[in-house]
Amino acid sequence: MHRTQDIMALICLLFLELPMFEMASGKVLEETYRKWVQYKEDCIKMIGNEPLPQASVFCNRSFDRYACWPDTPAGSMVNISCPFYLPWYYKVSHGVVRRRCGTDGFWVRDDSGQVWRDMTQCEEEEEVTSQELWFKQLMVSFRMLYTVGYSLSLFMLIMAVIILLSFRKLHCTRNYIHANLFLSFILRAVSVIVKDTMLERHWGKEIMKQTDVSDMLSHQAALGCRVAQVMMQYCVLANHYWFFGEAIYLYSVLIASVFIDNNKNLPYICLGWGTPLLFVVPWVVMKLLNENNECWAVNENMNYWWIIRFPILFASLIVKVILSKLRASNQSGYPDYKLRLAKATLTLIPLFGIHEVIFIFATDEQTTGVLRYIKVFFTLFLNSFQGFLVAVLYCYANKEVRTELKRKLRSWRIEAEIVCCGQ
């Protein structure tokens, strides 16, 4: 019961008394609640331990779920510092909140019957600066950009997988690797969309009633978001290592013989789907034990961040080495399909993961200002449209795929003419 009242008091503070603070992120809400509990406990300790005042008539010390009030002599005004748990405390740290003690030893009340309190100096400024408005519009534009990118990529990739699996003549190791690369991009796009939905549902919705905050503060609320976050990190790694497999396959058919055994697909499966587990599982364990907060999107300890980013950097650098060897080799004597595969791969490699190498040391926590906006734009743009580019170059621009599609269309047209003429 007390916890419910505490939560409701926090709701009133953050979302009812301050009109500009209509929505709060999970990070702000959890941190504010933690500090509020600490503030309340300190106040209760003060109430129980402080000696009684010398004055015969005074207003009793109390905690009104906003501020901690000391014993106050009758007929006087008491000023105390703004509570430190306020999310905007750094702006109002020199402000005060006031109460008046009546001559009868009772706190003065307003017309509504509530104890009067002047907290104007502790309120967040309601004026929204042009810079804040521009930043909000920029973030909305970025979100629209990558939502369109992932949606377009998702559609193109699903169609590409259907095409590769539908035509028997397209079944080979090369296209098997393509299909798995497409699948990793599909899962990545789905996990990003699901993660955004979870964030919007649990951390970004408007607070209207007690159960809204109760759900947001619960461990179960973040579980789905964390699962989507883990899936996204796994799929990002799978993207890089299936593309690593693309480069290795191309290297094997053009320059050397690697990954050759009775089951040609198994080594690529282990590389593309197995390798990410070696890094995602330790990352999950570290997050669960040491940073089990919100949606696991904040990197408080950068060592855990490197568990995920180091293998991405490693794969990107190795692919660049393979790229240099492929470019140095004489490709003029290779069969047509191998030459086309080489051109497609050599086109994608500079686009795939280039921002990972450029911004590998410029994390979200370390970048500010214009550099942060540039990093966010390139990361969102390239990540969201990568699947589209991969599907186009490996499937829709593939001569074999176009030939099979034309053959199938001719077959359908002939069957339709036979049915029509037969009728």
Side-chain angles (χ1 to χ4, degrees):
M1 182 63 182
H2 291 299
R3 180 174 174 81
T4 301
Q5 293 174 348
D6 294 346
I7 293 174
M8 287 303 296
L10 186 62
I11 297 172
C12 294
L13 168 65
L14 292 180
F15 303 101
L16 299 181
E17 293 184 351
L18 303 174
M20 292 301 298
F21 202 80
E22 293 177 353
M23 302 175 73
S25 66
K27 178 69 175 177
V28 173
L29 188 59
E30 284 191 332
E31 185 68 13
T32 301
Y33 183 76
R34 183 187 63 79
K35 291 182 179 179
W36 182 84
V37 171
Q38 179 184 346
Y39 183 88
K40 182 191 71 170
E41 292 175 350
D42 292 343
C43 182
I44 292 175
K45 186 180 297 183
M46 182 276 293
I47 291 174
N49 297 335
E50 287 291 321
L52 293 175
Q54 299 297 325
S56 58
V57 181
F58 59 91
C59 294
N60 290 327
R61 64 194 75 174
S62 64
F63 175 60
D64 63 357
R65 302 192 180 279
Y66 178 82
C68 187
W69 304 98
D71 295 320
T72 304
S76 63
M77 178 84 73
V78 60
N79 301 330
I80 62 172
S81 300
C82 295
F84 65 77
Y85 60 81
L86 295 174
W88 51 88
Y89 176 71
Y90 67 97
K91 296 181 180 179
V92 297
S93 58
H94 299 295
V96 295
V97 57
R98 303 171 180 174
R99 258 192 185 187
R100 184 181 298 278
C101 181
T103 55
D104 56 356
F106 292 96
W107 295 108
V108 173
R109 296 179 177 270
D110 56 23
D111 296 337
S112 64
Q114 300 295 322
V115 174
W116 176 84
R117 178 180 61 202
D118 179 12
M119 46 181 280
T120 55
Q121 296 185 29
C122 299
E123 292 180 349
E124 186 182 26
E125 295 180 3
E126 296 187 6
E127 181 181 358
V128 180
T129 64
S130 58
Q131 183 178 2
E132 290 173 339
L133 184 60
W134 174 83
F135 176 75
K136 181 178 180 180
Q137 293 173 345
L138 182 66
M139 291 299 104
V140 171
S141 300
F142 282 172
R143 179 168 182 177
M144 290 178 60
L145 172 70
Y146 78 76
T147 299
V148 171
Y150 277 119
S151 301
L152 180 61
S153 297
L154 188 60
F155 173 77
M156 298 292 284
L157 288 164
I158 291 175
M159 296 302 299
V161 170
I162 292 174
I163 291 172
L164 292 182
L165 296 180
S166 299
F167 298 102
R168 184 172 298 178
K169 288 187 177 181
L170 298 178
H171 292 180
C172 60
T173 301
R174 179 179 72 258
N175 288 333
Y176 179 84
I177 296 174
H178 293 344
N180 278 275
L181 178 63
F182 297 163
L183 180 59
S184 70
F185 274 105
I186 291 172
L187 293 176
R188 178 176 180 175
V190 170
S191 65
V192 169
I193 294 172
V194 170
K195 180 174 69 68
D196 282 354
T197 303
M198 292 290 183
L199 285 170
E200 183 69 23
R201 178 181 177 185
H202 293 299
W203 305 124
K205 66 182 180 181
E206 187 175 359
I207 304 299
M208 299 298 295
K209 54 185 183 297
Q210 170 189 337
T211 54
D212 291 338
V213 173
S214 300
D215 292 341
M216 290 170 68
L217 292 176
S218 66
H219 175 73
Q220 291 77 9
L223 183 59
C225 184
R226 291 170 186 169
V227 171
Q229 178 79 5
V230 172
M231 282 300 301
M232 187 187 71
Q233 298 293 350
Y234 174 80
C235 292
V236 168
L237 282 167
N239 284 165
H240 285 80
Y241 279 89
W242 271 111
F243 198 75
F244 190 10
E246 292 277 1
I248 289 178
Y249 175 80
L250 183 60
Y251 184 82
S252 69
V253 298
L254 295 182
I255 298 178
S257 296
V258 294
F259 277 15
I260 302 299
D261 59 16
N262 294 331
N263 187 352
K264 294 182 180 180
N265 297 329
L266 182 60
Y268 292 101
I269 292 176
C270 294
L271 176 66
W273 296 120
T275 304
L277 291 174
L278 301 178
F279 303 100
V280 172
V281 171
W283 178 77
V284 170
V285 172
M286 291 297 100
K287 282 288 187 180
L288 191 62
L289 295 178
N290 301 309
E291 291 185 0
N292 194 23
N293 300 319
E294 311 114 37
C295 199
W296 290 359
V298 178
N299 301 307
E300 297 177 3
N301 187 327
M302 297 308 297
N303 293 327
Y304 307 149
W305 178 84
W306 275 105
I307 295 176
I308 294 293
R309 290 300 165 217
F310 174 77
I312 292 177
L313 178 61
F314 174 78
S316 299
L317 293 177
I318 295 299
V319 168
K320 297 298 186 295
V321 173
I322 296 176
L323 165 64
S324 63
K325 291 183 176 294
L326 292 174
R327 281 180 172 166
S329 65
N330 181 13
Q331 301 172 9
S332 58
Y334 296 124
D336 184 47
Y337 83 91
K338 292 184 179 181
L339 192 59
R340 292 196 308 270
L341 178 61
K343 290 180 179 179
T345 304
L346 294 176
T347 301
L348 282 173
I349 286 177
L351 297 175
F352 194 90
I354 187 172
H355 63 286
E356 297 285 357
V357 177
I358 295 175
F359 295 111
I360 193 69
F361 298 104
T363 65
D364 291 338
E365 290 78 11
Q366 296 170 334
T367 53
T368 58
V370 177
L371 178 61
R372 180 177 179 85
Y373 299 142
I374 293 174
K375 177 183 183 296
V376 170
F377 173 77
F378 278 100
T379 300
L380 294 180
F381 178 80
L382 293 176
N383 284 348
S384 60
F385 284 94
Q386 275 176 357
F388 170 79
L389 295 174
V390 167
V392 169
L393 289 176
Y394 278 150
C395 181
Y396 301 107
N398 188 307
K399 183 178 179 181
E400 292 175 306
V401 173
R402 294 203 308 270
T403 300
E404 284 300 307
L405 286 174
K406 290 178 181 178
R407 185 187 64 79
K408 192 64 176 179
L409 288 174
R410 285 197 302 268
S411 175
W412 287 342
R413 186 169 60 250
I414 293 173
E415 291 177 1
E417 291 176 353
I418 293 175
V419 172
C420 180
C421 294
Q423 292 178 345

